[in-house]
């Protein structure tokens, strides 16, 4: 599998995972987004940083 195909596979998987919550429980997603909107910028940045570092750690562990 080439690098372009791998990138497209990764993007496709992100879209599938991101679509699970709105499909299963739109009401829960709305509540979650209201809570996110109420958060300050620093908290959102720290959450984004934690997500990125977790993703990099998983990539490192699984050798991609």
């Amino acid at each position: 599998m080439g690098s372009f195909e791998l990138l497209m596979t990764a993007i496709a998987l992100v879209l599938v995972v991101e679509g699970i919550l709105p499909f299963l429980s739109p009401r829960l997603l709305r509540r979650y987004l209201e809570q996110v909107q109420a958060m300050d910028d620093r908290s959102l940045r720290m959450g984004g940083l934690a997500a990125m570092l977790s993703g990099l750690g998983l990539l490192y562990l699984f050798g991609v």
Side-chain angles (χ1 to χ4, degrees):
M1 181 182 297
S3 60
F4 181 74
E5 289 85 7
L6 184 60
L7 175 64
M8 290 295 107
T9 301
I11 290 172
L13 287 172
V14 167
L15 291 172
V16 168
V17 170
E18 288 288 330
I20 291 172
L21 185 59
F23 176 73
L24 292 178
S25 181
R27 186 176 302 149
L28 181 62
L29 177 65
R30 283 191 192 97
R31 279 191 283 165
Y32 173 72
L33 291 176
E34 287 171 358
Q35 290 176 350
V36 169
Q37 187 176 8
M39 293 173 69
D40 62 298
D41 288 347
R42 187 174 191 285
S43 297
L44 288 172
R45 281 194 182 100
M46 289 299 112
L49 178 62
M52 289 188 300
L53 292 175
S54 298
L56 285 172
L58 288 171
L59 285 173
Y60 178 76
L61 285 175
F62 293 103
V64 175

